[in-house]
Amino acid sequence: MFDVGPRNLITDVNGIKVGHAQDANALTGTTVLASAGRLVAAVDVRGGGPGTRETDALDASNLVDALDAIVLSGGSSYGLAAASGVAAKLGAQGQGYQIPGAPLVSPIVPAAILFDLSNGGNKEWGEDPPYDRLGREAFDALAVDFPLGNVGAGLGAKAGAYKGGVGSASAVNDAGVQVGALVAVNPFGSPVMPGCSAFWAWPFERDKEFGGARPPADYDPVQSGLPQDTKAGPIPGANTTIGIVATNVALSPAQMKRVAMMAQDGYARAIRPIHTMGDGDVVFSVTTGELVPDDSQPGIVSLVGSVAADCMARAIARGVYAAESIGAMKSYRDVFGVS
Amino acid sequence: MFDVGPRNLITDVNGIKVGHAQDANALTGTTVLASAGRLVAAVDVRGGGPGTRETDALDASNLVDALDAIVLSGGSSYGLAAASGVAAKLGAQGQGYQIPGAPLVSPIVPAAILFDLSNGGNKEWGEDPPYDRLGREAFDALAVDFPLGNVGAGLGAKAGAYKGGVGSASAVNDAGVQVGALVAVNPFGSPVMPGCSAFWAWPFERDKEFGGARPPADYDPVQSGLPQDTKAGPIPGANTTIGIVATNVALSPAQMKRVAMMAQDGYARAIRPIHTMGDGDVVFSVTTGELVPDDSQPGIVSLVGSVAADCMARAIARGVYAAESIGAMKSYRDVFGVS
């Protein structure tokens, strides 16, 4: 079985680093994940209103089979510019896909954005949105330790009726398998079970990492229909949960696609409803490839995928739990009166 | 909010009928869903080892935008023949897609199969597998009332460590919206929370429709890793959950795709792990189109999808709860000593 890694962050996968940058005035921000080397990767786009960049390149049948960094950003479609800033910096230091004979490498920086334009921040940036700069700043902040909650892509996020944020979680086992998740939580649906303070992800919680609330013993099963604590109206693109799962198990791009798909089930278990027409949900998956799986483990892909789904559910609840109230966006802890 | 429909079956969507046929000697069977008219439909294939027929035709960018029946069958790839039997019968009565000038209609009968070849039944059918016949018998058995558990495509099914079966559930509201789910439950993963008798789907249970078991108040959160009560080894294609969600809300094929995608989240909430490399999970979605949505309901697709996900989670647990032990395949009720 798996235990929580030493940091309980996606950076418990050796070599992975994460950096945040944010604009407190605009109430938005950007999060970057990278490592010293290139990462074999895949992506699964599952929401009805996604905003992405370089996701086609990751298809297992296409040329590129590794990436140089991933950008998660607020800012709706403007936020995709953060990847431009990161790509410019990577290229200047020579990291990227080398087409033989080309004078420059081509940095592969997939990105996904979430919608935070209506959160009350000052978005009067005219022709100069801040995301190219935020991408560069987040890249410069890359580190193994990083904060959760109102940071980076989570600064302007809202999760159903609660302030959203950036979450992360990890799991490691004695065989050296490392799995972690990173997510910016901004869904239409709710991370909380209706009528109580328990997160939907409660069955997966380790060491009260998101407060320890449980459904009461006499909990009334939910009625179908949209819960009361969603965001106002499932408007296309006005929501979105974007995340990354990482492992050290050496898997192929096609196998990493399965891992990303299974990690979407972590979204499903932690948020209800999810994958609506008004969510642009995306999960990236990356591997450092440091641990070559034993041939006697035919189920290694499904194992990594299952652990990734658990980590993702925990990361979602941790992100909401860590977030603090900003104006009308009330935090989970303020709504339920927990410290 | 929604209540359970009068039958708590997918046939609470007016016009939908379901029929089962099974071969007790071979421990396998087939389930057919149809209506008097054609059904606008979509499909979402999400497992790693699917076995399907006519799923490409359902793509929203393709010609066909309605189907005549859906087949869910045991028998692995042999089971796809059940759709041939159903198509032959439908064509003989003139139901199908009419290419102008053609002497016959082309019945559109999408199908998905599950793997039940290793369940101990007598599969020595040589060159004469029973599925064409089973498809015809299931079609002849179409009715609004139908049994759950060890019937049709669920006769030979196993859900993790427990006997699997056919499940169904429904939800209806005062505005006349009808939603239902039908599923044959045969996953690698478990429908039960580790260490107790509660179904993963317990938060969605209506009227103790699957026994009412709850996690204890001091339930230890799960550790990551594969649970103890999966099937033996995640062998590609050796598992699979196949289901259908139905509604009366008039949605387009593209909108019905979103409904099918969201219904997969019912799988994720009711089974852990799900969507593994060794599961061939498929969800079809169909609508009778009887209820034209009010233009003031921009979220109708997400609403129907959310209710469909809830119904699917309930249907999964109901299918396992209704199943009875066969040989080494012990039922949930026998394992946990509930009547």
Side-chain angles (χ1 to χ4, degrees):
Chain A
M1 300 307 268
F2 284 73
D3 290 315
V4 177
R7 293 181 186 84
N8 201 13
L9 298 173
I10 195 171
T11 48
D12 286 329
V13 178
N14 286 345
I16 299 292
K17 295 183 178 181
V18 172
H20 297 305
Q22 47 277 323
D23 183 324
N25 178 44
L27 262 188
T28 190
T30 297
T31 297
V32 173
L33 178 144
S35 77
R38 308 194 73 208
L39 296 164
V40 169
V43 64
D44 186 55
V45 179
R46 193 70 176 162
T52 58
R53 166 181 164 146
E54 289 277 44
T55 49
D56 289 321
L58 297 183
D59 188 282
S61 63
N62 288 344
L63 177 69
V64 167
D65 64 359
L67 55 76
D68 298 288
I70 299 175
V71 165
L72 307 178
S73 187
S76 190
S77 54
Y78 302 102
L80 295 173
S84 303
V86 172
K89 290 189 73 92
L90 282 163
Q93 64 189 48
Q95 187 180 336
Y97 184 81
Q98 177 68 61
I99 295 281
L104 286 176
V105 295
S106 298
I108 308 299
V109 186
I113 53 81
L114 58 80
F115 182 92
D116 59 4
L117 299 183
S118 302
N119 66 0
N122 177 3
K123 304 300 196 300
E124 296 179 356
W125 52 54
E127 293 191 3
D128 296 299
Y131 297 99
D132 183 288
R133 170 177 62 80
L134 288 170
R136 292 165 191 260
E137 291 178 5
F139 184 82
D140 288 339
L142 284 169
V144 292
D145 285 306
F146 62 93
L148 304 183
N150 288 356
V151 289
L155 175 60
K158 192 175 175 194
Y162 315 94
K163 181 70 185 72
V166 166
S168 191
S170 72
V172 299
N173 75 2
D174 289 344
V177 173
Q178 300 167 339
V179 179
L182 174 73
V183 65
V185 190
N186 186 57
F188 166 68
S190 175
V192 178
M193 297 178 75
C196 70
S197 65
F199 284 99
W200 276 110
W202 74 268
F204 309 100
E205 183 175 21
R206 308 302 308 168
D207 309 327
K208 302 196 174 182
E209 62 191 339
F210 41 87
R214 299 292 191 88
D218 62 347
Y219 182 76
D220 260 342
V222 304
Q223 289 202 303
S224 282
L226 299 179
Q228 299 298 309
D229 58 347
T230 57
K231 268 190 255 190
I235 302 160
N239 305 287
T240 292
T241 300
I242 47 181
I244 306 169
V245 291
T247 184
N248 65 339
V249 178
L251 300 176
S252 70
Q255 291 172 318
M256 290 304 290
K257 170 78 174 186
R258 175 63 40 194
V259 171
M261 293 173 78
M262 290 182 70
Q264 292 272 16
D265 292 334
Y267 285 19
R269 293 175 184 135
I271 299 164
R272 171 178 173 274
I274 190 71
H275 303 133
T276 74
M277 202 66 102
D279 286 286
D281 307 320
V282 176
V283 174
F284 295 99
S285 58
V286 296
T287 176
T288 62
E290 287 191 351
L291 184 72
V292 177
D294 186 333
D295 277 351
S296 69
Q297 295 181 300
I300 187 68
V301 178
S302 299
L303 174 65
V304 171
S306 180
V307 176
D310 292 350
C311 285
M312 185 56 83
R314 294 164 49 210
I316 287 167
R318 291 193 79 203
V320 176
Y321 188 73
E324 299 185 335
S325 298
I326 297 180
M329 297 191 287
K330 297 300 177 195
S331 73
Y332 168 89
R333 284 177 290 155
D334 281 350
V335 170
F336 293 107
V338 293
S339 58
Chain B
M1 301 305 268
F2 284 74
D3 290 315
V4 176
R7 294 181 186 84
N8 200 12
L9 298 173
I10 195 170
T11 48
D12 285 329
V13 178
N14 285 347
I16 299 292
K17 294 182 179 183
V18 172
H20 296 306
Q22 48 277 322
D23 183 322
N25 180 43
L27 262 187
T28 190
T30 297
T31 296
V32 173
L33 177 144
S35 77
R38 308 194 72 208
L39 297 163
V40 169
V43 64
D44 185 55
V45 178
R46 193 73 177 159
T52 58
R53 168 180 164 147
E54 289 277 44
T55 48
D56 289 321
L58 297 183
D59 188 283
S61 63
N62 288 343
L63 178 69
V64 166
D65 65 357
L67 55 77
D68 298 288
I70 298 175
V71 166
L72 306 178
S73 186
S76 189
S77 54
Y78 301 102
L80 294 173
S84 303
V86 172
K89 289 188 75 92
L90 281 163
Q93 64 189 45
Q95 188 179 334
Y97 184 80
Q98 179 68 62
I99 296 282
L104 286 174
V105 296
S106 298
I108 307 300
V109 186
I113 53 80
L114 57 81
F115 182 92
D116 59 3
L117 299 182
S118 302
N119 66 359
N122 178 2
K123 304 299 195 301
E124 297 179 355
W125 52 55
E127 292 191 3
D128 296 300
Y131 297 99
D132 183 289
R133 170 178 62 79
L134 288 170
R136 292 166 191 260
E137 291 178 7
F139 184 81
D140 289 340
L142 284 168
V144 292
D145 285 307
F146 62 93
L148 304 182
N150 289 354
V151 289
L155 176 59
K158 193 175 177 195
Y162 313 94
K163 179 71 186 71
V166 166
S168 192
S170 73
V172 299
N173 75 1
D174 288 344
V177 173
Q178 301 167 339
V179 179
L182 175 73
V183 64
V185 190
N186 187 57
F188 166 69
S190 176
V192 178
M193 297 179 75
C196 72
S197 65
F199 284 99
W200 276 111
W202 75 267
F204 310 100
E205 184 175 21
R206 306 302 308 169
D207 310 328
K208 301 196 174 184
E209 63 191 338
F210 41 87
R214 300 291 190 89
D218 61 349
Y219 182 76
D220 261 341
V222 304
Q223 289 201 303
S224 282
L226 299 179
Q228 300 297 308
D229 58 347
T230 58
K231 269 192 253 190
I235 303 160
N239 306 286
T240 293
T241 299
I242 47 181
I244 306 168
V245 290
T247 184
N248 65 338
V249 178
L251 300 177
S252 69
Q255 292 172 316
M256 290 304 290
K257 170 79 175 186
R258 176 63 39 194
V259 171
M261 293 173 77
M262 291 182 69
Q264 293 273 15
D265 292 334
Y267 285 19
R269 294 174 183 136
I271 298 165
R272 172 176 172 273
I274 191 69
H275 304 134
T276 75
M277 202 64 105
D279 285 286
D281 308 320
V282 175
V283 174
F284 295 98
S285 58
V286 296
T287 177
T288 62
E290 286 192 352
L291 185 71
V292 177
D294 186 334
D295 277 348
S296 69
Q297 296 183 299
I300 187 68
V301 178
S302 299
L303 175 65
V304 171
S306 180
V307 177
D310 291 350
C311 285
M312 184 57 83
R314 293 164 50 208
I316 287 168
R318 291 193 78 203
V320 175
Y321 188 73
E324 299 185 335
S325 298
I326 297 180
M329 295 191 287
K330 298 299 179 196
S331 74
Y332 167 90
R333 284 177 290 152
D334 282 351
V335 168
F336 293 107
V338 294
S339 58

